[in-house]
């Protein structure tokens, strides 16, 4: 049922809360120790992203949106032909996400000298993976769903993995910044 919280959703909420707290701590450390403004903004943005993910998961927004889209397609009588439209949407999402990743990767890589900047970039990349996963889950194309939710559980691997990368990068960032002479 859309909107109900399962144990897995509750576990994800706890993980997202830990990641968000880690990002807020990294943001605070960056501000307190005079790090680059973009570092502070990146950690603050990632904390906000994970807070939004908590709300999405807690209120079952992905399921609600997906069910609303299916209801709309059934009402229009185009539910049986949805795969073509979903394929186009997935293709557009892939192109836009790839272009944005290349643009921001290039832009930010010029600032990435130093391990603390690289930790911030790694966290931003993992945050991008989280956004991409949410978009793919909402679009819900059958063949993508088979990859995400099939026997390998790539959705879990991507979700948990990206969350842990962000958390690990935040901890590493704070360690590096505090050790700085």
């Amino acid at each position: 049922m859309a909107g109900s919280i399962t144990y897995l959703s509750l576990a994800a909420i706890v993980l997202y809360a830990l990641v968000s707290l880690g990002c807020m701590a990294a943001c605070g450390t960056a501000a307190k120790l005079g790090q680059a403004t973009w570092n502070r903004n990146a950690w603050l943005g990632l904390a906000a992203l994970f807070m939004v993910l908590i709300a999405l998961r807690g209120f079952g927004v992905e399921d609600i949106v997906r069910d609303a889209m299916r209801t709309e397609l059934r009402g229009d009588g185009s539910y049986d032909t949805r795969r073509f439209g979903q394929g186009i949407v997935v293709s557009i999402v892939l192109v836009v996400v790839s272009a944005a990743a290349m643009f921001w990767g290039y832009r930010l890589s010029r600032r990435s000298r130093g391990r603390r900047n690289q930790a911030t970039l790694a966290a931003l990349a993992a945050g991008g993976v989280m956004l991409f996963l949410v978009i793919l889950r909402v679009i819900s194309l059958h063949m993508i769903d088979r990859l995400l939710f099939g026997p390998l559980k790539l959705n879990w691997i991507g979700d948990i993995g990206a969350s842990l990368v962000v958390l690990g990068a935040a901890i590493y960032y704070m360690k590096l910044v505090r050790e700085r002479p």
Side-chain angles (χ1 to χ4, degrees):
M1 178 173 124
S4 63
I5 297 180
T6 64
Y7 288 117
L8 289 175
S9 290
L10 190 56
I13 288 170
V14 170
L15 177 59
Y16 297 163
L18 290 172
V19 174
S20 186
L21 288 171
C23 291
M24 286 188 276
C27 177
T29 300
K32 181 179 166 186
L33 297 176
Q35 296 302 300
T37 302
W38 78 271
N39 282 178
R40 187 174 60 241
N41 292 341
W43 292 115
L44 185 61
L46 287 166
L49 169 66
F50 279 90
M51 284 185 229
V52 168
L53 291 173
I54 289 169
L56 291 177
R57 185 71 70 147
F59 293 113
V61 174
E62 287 180 34
D63 295 331
I64 292 168
V65 169
R66 193 171 32 252
D67 290 345
M69 288 180 2
R70 286 179 182 156
T71 301
E72 182 70 27
L73 289 171
R74 284 186 183 112
D76 290 348
S78 57
Y79 184 76
D80 293 334
T81 59
R82 72 189 183 283
R83 291 203 192 341
F84 177 74
Q86 286 173 318
I88 291 172
V89 171
V90 168
S91 299
I92 291 169
V93 166
L94 285 172
V95 168
V96 169
V97 167
S98 298
M102 286 188 303
F103 172 76
W104 284 106
Y106 171 74
R107 245 189 111 193
L108 293 174
S109 68
R110 294 182 355 194
R111 302 178 181 179
S112 70
R113 290 192 174 73
R115 293 178 294 166
R116 64 185 181 281
N117 291 336
Q118 291 172 351
T120 306
L121 285 177
L124 286 171
V129 167
M130 289 298 295
L131 284 174
F132 187 61
L133 270 173
V134 169
I135 291 168
L136 286 180
R137 288 191 302 240
V138 169
I139 293 170
S140 186
L141 182 62
H142 183 67
M143 64 181 132
I144 300 293
D145 286 349
R146 274 193 284 167
L147 284 173
L148 292 177
F149 304 108
L152 293 178
K153 304 293 185 220
L154 293 179
N155 178 54
W156 291 1
I157 293 168
D159 196 312
I160 294 167
S163 297
L164 291 176
V165 166
V166 174
L167 181 58
I171 292 167
Y172 183 63
Y173 178 87
M174 289 184 290
K175 178 182 178 288
L176 288 173
V177 171
R178 288 179 181 149
E179 287 178 351
R180 197 170 157 213

